[in-house]
mmCIF file of all heavy atoms in Angstrom:
data_model
loop_
_atom_site.group_PDB
_atom_site.id
_atom_site.type_symbol
_atom_site.label_atom_id
_atom_site.label_comp_id
_atom_site.label_asym_id
_atom_site.label_seq_id
_atom_site.Cartn_x
_atom_site.Cartn_y
_atom_site.Cartn_z
ATOM 1 N N ARG A 1 -0.485 -7.229 -6.698
ATOM 2 C CA ARG A 1 -0.064 -8.554 -6.223
ATOM 3 C C ARG A 1 0.348 -8.575 -4.753
ATOM 4 O O ARG A 1 0.580 -9.637 -4.193
ATOM 5 C CB ARG A 1 1.097 -9.060 -7.078
ATOM 6 C CG ARG A 1 0.732 -9.210 -8.544
ATOM 7 C CD ARG A 1 1.854 -9.823 -9.348
ATOM 8 N NE ARG A 1 1.463 -10.013 -10.739
ATOM 9 C CZ ARG A 1 2.144 -10.706 -11.636
ATOM 10 N NH1 ARG A 1 3.282 -11.287 -11.281
ATOM 11 N NH2 ARG A 1 1.711 -10.830 -12.874
ATOM 12 N N ILE A 2 0.465 -7.408 -4.148
ATOM 13 C CA ILE A 2 0.909 -7.330 -2.754
ATOM 14 C C ILE A 2 -0.255 -6.902 -1.866
ATOM 15 O O ILE A 2 -0.855 -5.841 -2.077
ATOM 16 C CB ILE A 2 2.094 -6.359 -2.611
ATOM 17 C CG1 ILE A 2 3.291 -6.868 -3.408
ATOM 18 C CG2 ILE A 2 2.455 -6.185 -1.137
ATOM 19 C CD1 ILE A 2 4.492 -5.946 -3.363
ATOM 20 N N ARG A 3 -0.574 -7.744 -0.871
ATOM 21 C CA ARG A 3 -1.673 -7.472 0.055
ATOM 22 C C ARG A 3 -1.110 -7.202 1.448
ATOM 23 O O ARG A 3 -0.274 -7.942 1.940
ATOM 24 C CB ARG A 3 -2.645 -8.655 0.114
ATOM 25 C CG ARG A 3 -3.334 -8.939 -1.213
ATOM 26 C CD ARG A 3 -4.321 -10.097 -1.109
ATOM 27 N NE ARG A 3 -4.955 -10.320 -2.409
ATOM 28 C CZ ARG A 3 -6.032 -9.666 -2.845
ATOM 29 N NH1 ARG A 3 -6.602 -8.765 -2.042
ATOM 30 N NH2 ARG A 3 -6.536 -9.910 -4.029
ATOM 31 N N GLY A 4 -1.603 -6.156 2.065
ATOM 32 C CA GLY A 4 -1.122 -5.775 3.378
ATOM 33 C C GLY A 4 -1.854 -6.475 4.509
ATOM 34 O O GLY A 4 -2.525 -7.488 4.321
ATOM 35 N N ARG A 5 -1.748 -5.903 5.669
ATOM 36 C CA ARG A 5 -2.306 -6.501 6.873
ATOM 37 C C ARG A 5 -3.810 -6.711 6.779
ATOM 38 O O ARG A 5 -4.348 -7.693 7.287
ATOM 39 C CB ARG A 5 -1.989 -5.602 8.081
ATOM 40 C CG ARG A 5 -2.529 -6.129 9.399
ATOM 41 C CD ARG A 5 -2.376 -5.149 10.540
ATOM 42 N NE ARG A 5 -0.976 -4.937 10.869
ATOM 43 C CZ ARG A 5 -0.295 -3.836 10.581
ATOM 44 N NH1 ARG A 5 -0.900 -2.841 9.922
ATOM 45 N NH2 ARG A 5 0.961 -3.707 10.928
ATOM 46 N N ASP A 6 -4.512 -5.782 6.134
ATOM 47 C CA ASP A 6 -5.971 -5.875 6.082
ATOM 48 C C ASP A 6 -6.479 -6.699 4.904
ATOM 49 O O ASP A 6 -7.683 -6.771 4.667
ATOM 50 C CB ASP A 6 -6.601 -4.477 6.058
ATOM 51 C CG ASP A 6 -6.249 -3.695 4.805
ATOM 52 O OD1 ASP A 6 -5.536 -4.246 3.930
ATOM 53 O OD2 ASP A 6 -6.669 -2.526 4.686
ATOM 54 N N GLY A 7 -5.572 -7.321 4.152
ATOM 55 C CA GLY A 7 -5.984 -8.194 3.059
ATOM 56 C C GLY A 7 -6.188 -7.496 1.736
ATOM 57 O O GLY A 7 -6.413 -8.143 0.711
ATOM 58 N N ARG A 8 -6.102 -6.179 1.710
ATOM 59 C CA ARG A 8 -6.272 -5.435 0.464
ATOM 60 C C ARG A 8 -4.941 -5.253 -0.251
ATOM 61 O O ARG A 8 -3.891 -5.149 0.384
ATOM 62 C CB ARG A 8 -6.907 -4.075 0.729
ATOM 63 C CG ARG A 8 -8.337 -4.130 1.224
ATOM 64 C CD ARG A 8 -8.909 -2.723 1.361
ATOM 65 N NE ARG A 8 -8.179 -1.936 2.356
ATOM 66 C CZ ARG A 8 -8.276 -0.614 2.469
ATOM 67 N NH1 ARG A 8 -9.062 0.070 1.637
ATOM 68 N NH2 ARG A 8 -7.602 0.031 3.409
ATOM 69 N N THR A 9 -5.011 -5.203 -1.585
ATOM 70 C CA THR A 9 -3.795 -4.964 -2.352
ATOM 71 C C THR A 9 -3.411 -3.488 -2.250
ATOM 72 O O THR A 9 -4.230 -2.634 -1.893
ATOM 73 C CB THR A 9 -3.988 -5.323 -3.833
ATOM 74 O OG1 THR A 9 -4.950 -4.414 -4.412
ATOM 75 C CG2 THR A 9 -4.451 -6.759 -4.000
ATOM 76 N N LEU A 10 -2.170 -3.197 -2.616
ATOM 77 C CA LEU A 10 -1.731 -1.800 -2.645
ATOM 78 C C LEU A 10 -2.604 -0.999 -3.599
ATOM 79 O O LEU A 10 -2.926 0.161 -3.332
ATOM 80 C CB LEU A 10 -0.270 -1.718 -3.071
ATOM 81 C CG LEU A 10 0.771 -2.285 -2.106
ATOM 82 C CD1 LEU A 10 2.169 -2.175 -2.707
ATOM 83 C CD2 LEU A 10 0.726 -1.573 -0.759
ATOM 84 N N ALA A 11 -2.984 -1.609 -4.719
ATOM 85 C CA ALA A 11 -3.835 -0.916 -5.692
ATOM 86 C C ALA A 11 -5.194 -0.590 -5.090
ATOM 87 O O ALA A 11 -5.753 0.492 -5.320
ATOM 88 C CB ALA A 11 -3.997 -1.769 -6.943
ATOM 89 N N GLU A 12 -5.740 -1.502 -4.310
ATOM 90 C CA GLU A 12 -7.047 -1.275 -3.688
ATOM 91 C C GLU A 12 -6.970 -0.219 -2.591
ATOM 92 O O GLU A 12 -7.886 0.586 -2.418
ATOM 93 C CB GLU A 12 -7.583 -2.587 -3.106
ATOM 94 C CG GLU A 12 -7.981 -3.605 -4.170
ATOM 95 C CD GLU A 12 -8.247 -4.993 -3.597
ATOM 96 O OE1 GLU A 12 -7.757 -5.286 -2.479
ATOM 97 O OE2 GLU A 12 -8.927 -5.775 -4.276
ATOM 98 N N VAL A 13 -5.880 -0.201 -1.867
ATOM 99 C CA VAL A 13 -5.723 0.761 -0.771
ATOM 100 C C VAL A 13 -5.562 2.177 -1.295
ATOM 101 O O VAL A 13 -6.202 3.125 -0.824
ATOM 102 C CB VAL A 13 -4.519 0.386 0.111
ATOM 103 C CG1 VAL A 13 -4.234 1.495 1.129
ATOM 104 C CG2 VAL A 13 -4.778 -0.925 0.834
ATOM 105 N N PHE A 14 -4.696 2.339 -2.305
ATOM 106 C CA PHE A 14 -4.316 3.676 -2.729
ATOM 107 C C PHE A 14 -5.076 4.177 -3.950
ATOM 108 O O PHE A 14 -5.041 5.368 -4.250
ATOM 109 C CB PHE A 14 -2.814 3.723 -3.006
ATOM 110 C CG PHE A 14 -1.985 3.372 -1.799
ATOM 111 C CD1 PHE A 14 -0.989 2.423 -1.871
ATOM 112 C CD2 PHE A 14 -2.220 3.995 -0.588
ATOM 113 C CE1 PHE A 14 -0.226 2.097 -0.758
ATOM 114 C CE2 PHE A 14 -1.472 3.680 0.527
ATOM 115 C CZ PHE A 14 -0.471 2.724 0.450
ATOM 116 N N GLY A 15 -5.747 3.301 -4.663
ATOM 117 C CA GLY A 15 -6.524 3.737 -5.816
ATOM 118 C C GLY A 15 -5.672 4.459 -6.835
ATOM 119 O O GLY A 15 -4.647 3.955 -7.299
ATOM 120 N N THR A 16 -6.087 5.669 -7.180
ATOM 121 C CA THR A 16 -5.394 6.430 -8.224
ATOM 122 C C THR A 16 -4.187 7.200 -7.706
ATOM 123 O O THR A 16 -3.482 7.831 -8.495
ATOM 124 C CB THR A 16 -6.355 7.426 -8.884
ATOM 125 O OG1 THR A 16 -6.827 8.345 -7.886
ATOM 126 C CG2 THR A 16 -7.533 6.701 -9.508
ATOM 127 N N GLN A 17 -3.962 7.172 -6.384
ATOM 128 C CA GLN A 17 -2.852 7.945 -5.824
ATOM 129 C C GLN A 17 -1.962 7.062 -4.952
ATOM 130 O O GLN A 17 -2.041 7.095 -3.729
ATOM 131 C CB GLN A 17 -3.384 9.123 -5.001
ATOM 132 C CG GLN A 17 -4.134 10.152 -5.806
ATOM 133 C CD GLN A 17 -4.443 11.401 -4.997
ATOM 134 O OE1 GLN A 17 -3.707 11.788 -4.094
ATOM 135 N NE2 GLN A 17 -5.553 12.051 -5.309
ATOM 136 N N PRO A 18 -1.100 6.259 -5.574
ATOM 137 C CA PRO A 18 -0.171 5.446 -4.783
ATOM 138 C C PRO A 18 0.667 6.329 -3.871
ATOM 139 O O PRO A 18 1.056 7.433 -4.249
ATOM 140 C CB PRO A 18 0.698 4.775 -5.855
ATOM 141 C CG PRO A 18 -0.126 4.792 -7.087
ATOM 142 C CD PRO A 18 -0.922 6.070 -7.016
ATOM 143 N N ARG A 19 0.932 5.832 -2.688
ATOM 144 C CA ARG A 19 1.741 6.609 -1.751
ATOM 145 C C ARG A 19 2.593 5.667 -0.917
ATOM 146 O O ARG A 19 2.222 4.523 -0.655
ATOM 147 C CB ARG A 19 0.849 7.473 -0.860
ATOM 148 C CG ARG A 19 -0.142 6.693 -0.017
ATOM 149 C CD ARG A 19 -1.204 7.623 0.555
ATOM 150 N NE ARG A 19 -2.096 8.078 -0.489
ATOM 151 C CZ ARG A 19 -3.036 9.021 -0.314
ATOM 152 N NH1 ARG A 19 -3.179 9.607 0.855
ATOM 153 N NH2 ARG A 19 -3.820 9.371 -1.302
ATOM 154 N N ALA A 20 3.730 6.163 -0.530
ATOM 155 C CA ALA A 20 4.652 5.410 0.320
ATOM 156 C C ALA A 20 5.544 6.404 1.022
ATOM 157 O O ALA A 20 5.827 7.482 0.488
ATOM 158 C CB ALA A 20 5.494 4.438 -0.517
ATOM 159 N N TYR A 21 6.004 6.068 2.196
ATOM 160 C CA TYR A 21 6.908 6.959 2.916
ATOM 161 C C TYR A 21 8.277 6.904 2.259
ATOM 162 O O TYR A 21 8.868 5.832 2.098
ATOM 163 C CB TYR A 21 6.995 6.537 4.386
ATOM 164 C CG TYR A 21 7.978 7.362 5.172
ATOM 165 C CD1 TYR A 21 7.879 8.752 5.204
ATOM 166 C CD2 TYR A 21 9.023 6.760 5.863
ATOM 167 C CE1 TYR A 21 8.786 9.520 5.904
ATOM 168 C CE2 TYR A 21 9.928 7.516 6.577
ATOM 169 C CZ TYR A 21 9.816 8.899 6.590
ATOM 170 O OH TYR A 21 10.735 9.643 7.282
ATOM 171 N N LEU A 22 8.765 8.076 1.850
ATOM 172 C CA LEU A 22 10.033 8.200 1.130
ATOM 173 C C LEU A 22 10.066 7.345 -0.136
ATOM 174 O O LEU A 22 11.126 6.986 -0.639
ATOM 175 C CB LEU A 22 11.222 7.840 2.041
ATOM 176 C CG LEU A 22 11.448 8.758 3.237
ATOM 177 C CD1 LEU A 22 12.602 8.250 4.102
ATOM 178 C CD2 LEU A 22 11.736 10.188 2.775
ATOM 179 N N GLY A 23 8.870 7.007 -0.637
ATOM 180 C CA GLY A 23 8.803 6.188 -1.839
ATOM 181 C C GLY A 23 9.317 4.780 -1.637
ATOM 182 O O GLY A 23 9.566 4.059 -2.610
ATOM 183 N N THR A 24 9.415 4.342 -0.377
ATOM 184 C CA THR A 24 10.107 3.086 -0.083
ATOM 185 C C THR A 24 9.323 2.145 0.819
ATOM 186 O O THR A 24 9.360 0.928 0.620
ATOM 187 C CB THR A 24 11.480 3.391 0.578
ATOM 188 O OG1 THR A 24 12.194 4.336 -0.237
ATOM 189 C CG2 THR A 24 12.308 2.130 0.734
ATOM 190 N N THR A 25 8.622 2.651 1.825
ATOM 191 C CA THR A 25 7.908 1.790 2.767
ATOM 192 C C THR A 25 6.432 2.198 2.826
ATOM 193 O O THR A 25 6.072 3.332 2.495
ATOM 194 C CB THR A 25 8.517 1.856 4.178
ATOM 195 O OG1 THR A 25 8.547 3.228 4.617
ATOM 196 C CG2 THR A 25 9.938 1.306 4.165
ATOM 197 N N PHE A 26 5.582 1.259 3.290
ATOM 198 C CA PHE A 26 4.135 1.441 3.201
ATOM 199 C C PHE A 26 3.464 1.192 4.546
ATOM 200 O O PHE A 26 3.673 0.138 5.160
ATOM 201 C CB PHE A 26 3.547 0.461 2.182
ATOM 202 C CG PHE A 26 4.036 0.661 0.777
ATOM 203 C CD1 PHE A 26 5.256 0.135 0.377
ATOM 204 C CD2 PHE A 26 3.284 1.377 -0.145
ATOM 205 C CE1 PHE A 26 5.721 0.312 -0.913
ATOM 206 C CE2 PHE A 26 3.739 1.557 -1.442
ATOM 207 C CZ PHE A 26 4.960 1.028 -1.828
ATOM 208 N N SER A 27 2.640 2.131 4.965
ATOM 209 C CA SER A 27 1.796 1.911 6.136
ATOM 210 C C SER A 27 0.794 0.807 5.819
ATOM 211 O O SER A 27 0.178 0.791 4.754
ATOM 212 C CB SER A 27 1.052 3.201 6.487
ATOM 213 O OG SER A 27 0.156 2.989 7.555
ATOM 214 N N GLY A 28 0.651 -0.135 6.741
ATOM 215 C CA GLY A 28 -0.232 -1.275 6.506
ATOM 216 C C GLY A 28 0.469 -2.468 5.902
ATOM 217 O O GLY A 28 -0.140 -3.536 5.779
ATOM 218 N N CYS A 29 1.733 -2.301 5.540
ATOM 219 C CA CYS A 29 2.516 -3.391 4.945
ATOM 220 C C CYS A 29 3.863 -3.495 5.658
ATOM 221 O O CYS A 29 4.884 -2.982 5.165
ATOM 222 C CB CYS A 29 2.739 -3.160 3.458
ATOM 223 S SG CYS A 29 1.262 -3.246 2.452
ATOM 224 N N PRO A 30 3.898 -4.121 6.826
ATOM 225 C CA PRO A 30 5.160 -4.227 7.561
ATOM 226 C C PRO A 30 6.232 -4.942 6.735
ATOM 227 O O PRO A 30 5.937 -5.868 5.962
ATOM 228 C CB PRO A 30 4.778 -5.054 8.796
ATOM 229 C CG PRO A 30 3.297 -4.891 8.930
ATOM 230 C CD PRO A 30 2.784 -4.769 7.534
#
């Protein structure tokens, strides 16, 4: 349900390996 700067959802960006810095913030999602 969350789309970043490039219009893709987090699921589309990360596929089978979700990732976030410190489990808290996301590159591409200010």
Side-chain angles (χ1 to χ4, degrees):
R1 299 185 177 191
I2 297 178
R3 297 182 180 275
R5 180 188 293 107
D6 64 2
R8 293 184 297 165
T9 66
L10 292 178
E12 290 169 339
V13 172
F14 300 129
T16 61
Q17 295 189 31
R19 60 194 71 188
Y21 176 55
L22 296 177
T24 308
T25 55
F26 297 82
S27 176
C29 293

